[in-house]
Amino acid sequence: MIFNYSFGVILSSKNNFIFKKGILLIGIGLNLALLGYFKYANFFVEQLNLVIGTSYNLENIILPLAISFFTFQQISYLVDAYRHETREYNFLHYCLFVTFFPQLIAGPIVHHKEMLPQFANNDIYKANSKNLSIGLLIFTIGLFKKVIIADNLALFANPVFASLDNSGAITFFSAWSGALAYSFQLYFDFSGYSDMAIGIAYMFGIKLPMNFYSPYKSTSIIEFWRRWHITLSRFLRDYLYITMGGSRKGAYRRYVNLFVTMLIGGIWHGAGWTFIIWGGLHGVYLIINHSWRHTRVYILKWAPSASLIEVLLSTIVTFVAVTIAWVYFRAESLADANSLLSTMFGGNGISLPMSFIKYSELVNFNSAVSFFSFNGVYGDLIYQLESSLSWIIIAGLFVFLTPNSIQILQYIETKKLSKSNALPSYALTILVATIFAFVLSNLMKVSDFLYFNF
Amino acid sequence: MYKKLIVTFLFITTSLLFLIYIINMLIDPYVLSSSTGHISNQEIRITKPIKVLENSPQKVLIGNSRNNYSSDLIGEEHSNFYNLSLSGIGINEIAKLFYHAVYSNNSNLKLAYISLDSVCDPKDSLHESKFIDERFLIKPNNNTYSILFNKYALYTSYDTLILSIENATKGFLNEVGRQTIFNEGDYLAKGAAHALRKKEEITIGAKSNKKPAQSIIFEDYIKTCETKSLVKILDIAKKENIQLTFFINPVNVRYWEIQRQKNSLQHYLFNKIIIKKTIDASLIGAKNPIKVIDFRKLNKFTLERLSYHDAADLYYEYWYESSHFTNKFGEMITNVLQHDEYNNTAISSNLLDIDIEADFKQQLNSLKNWRLNNTDLVREIEQAKNCTQNSC
């Protein structure tokens, strides 16, 4: 922090351009070098060993908590100082900006422009019951998402991903159960964390940027990335995609820039081929999405409509594409991910309920006898997955039919509370307090947030 | 206005949590505040490790459901003994429980009786039993009673309340940690023959959802068998000077026949050979002699006749069903363990002293004779094996 703050002060002064560019490059380089060492050194040594057949071994490197997040925040500070977009900030406020505990570990990735002016406002250092009430509400929503929904979905996602090395253990329906359960688990886990961070910060009078806006309601991948991990997308867009030229240098360069940005987004999540493929896949999705939009509007002259069928179809296609990519994001290895995806598309046959065996005589299954089996819908994983469907449906209903926490926050913020309309507020308070007590009574053991790994 | 809302919020939240706590305190579903009491099958995994921390026993018995329901030490030994067995656990969890008993703060442990019904470690975490609750091993919550704030404890309190109303005169968990009423699968209430049928349908019928094992030779079997949990137990015992007595639980002859029909009978032999090899290797440098008392034999107790067609009100003398023996048989077993009477060849022998393969051949001969003389029972098992979900 001392180093970055000092560099920021130098960069925002009126020194000559070449000197400042040098300082900026050194600053970014040192930040990335630290991140590279702690997060990626082992991966690169492993790959080097594979390529040249050596057996170099680094000691176990302990990843500093939240390094990916505070590195990005500080790089954006340096770049903006270089662009003269920063003000003269107080050092203590700067330290608070980097280490502000609610969002330190897993975001939202905050920008100095939205945080430091708030820290300079003396009002936030006084207790405010309105902020406390609204903060508690948002925090409770986040806690509910994590403890009640995400942790229960994990019970169905984990056994599927854990048993990928047992050939034949996973069947068609169990593979889809695992993939869908993980899609929803990740959303509720991560957005739950963001809500809790936003809620806690709100209690202190600090407003954090939104990080999720119902991403699974997106009708395209482009829209998905405007709604999922919004602060990361914003960082990648402002400091990587636009810096590389964005869409200013023609369609071809735009696609290359998009692909590279998403690839780096993937690597940011972790050192491994699965993250690289995940990022690359989203890069390809975005290229296809942009090309399709262009073709549709300018070549086919087919204007987008808001018909229910089109919205529904687009939402389903987007959600399935995102779910397929999440398989790479979650799997331990490429082989595991490929194996699960192959099963999801029938590569391991379809196992039906045992009671269906009687229909095998009525319908001519002979030609496909090896494709269908009758070992139960979930095959060997029946005990872990038998109630997965109901949980996936519950999660889906929350995702697709309920307002998100930002919409709730905006509604509450604009509502004026007075004695005449106090009754609904008391009713809401009792409901939220009951949910809060219910969630607390569910706390059984430590359950980390998925994004703590990144 | 907002202040009032915050006060309401805090009041409702704390009131609800305390309500849960008070109900749970009164019903005590984990038997935390007394030495005996009603307990559900699930929650015993929480109570037993805590009781070991509180009681610091000198002797423990760690086994699976067979021992959870049927093993006490008798006489004055009672006060120094605790039965740490839990249903559904395997060697991996047994090793964890042994570690817990040895390294708990005030441990007085001198002797452990440990069941080795299956010695191979699970292939992966998916096949590992999740029954044990690791939160309560060695380092329980700073305040054990904090688990009473939990909604699961509230559900358990409800179950316990029902249990205590239905069985008002019977204790479920006795003071040495034995569950005194067999409720494995909760089907004994309809009679022993019913329990027998249900258990076997689940074990070998289509409901088991398992493919029949392929016949396998020892060389292939040993490749799939890791013994790190057993080695861990042996190492800890050697290091901490704990006397070990291993044992293999008996099963009824019907269960032998089930394994035969599933092509798994040879596993009994392989298990014993692996135990002997592992322990022989570990005995070098050990201060305390180790015994492995083998009760998995065919004798007049294990040959007790059990049939699906027996009357509903008939309860067997030595068996709840084919794989779980009654406390009466359990007392005979613990008597052998307790008094080193393992050379009582009627029911046991020390595995380390005998020719395992010759002994197993002898058992197979007994099984063959039994099959010839009990064709009706053999047929029952075959039918159970072929039953489908609907026909069972």
Side-chain angles (χ1 to χ4, degrees), chain B residues 186-206:
Chain B
D186 210 16
Y187 38 68
L188 194 65
K190 292 183 186 170
H194 176 81
L196 182 67
R197 180 193 290 266
K198 282 288 158 204
K199 181 66 195 270
E200 291 184 358
E201 282 171 1
I202 288 167
T203 314
I204 56 170

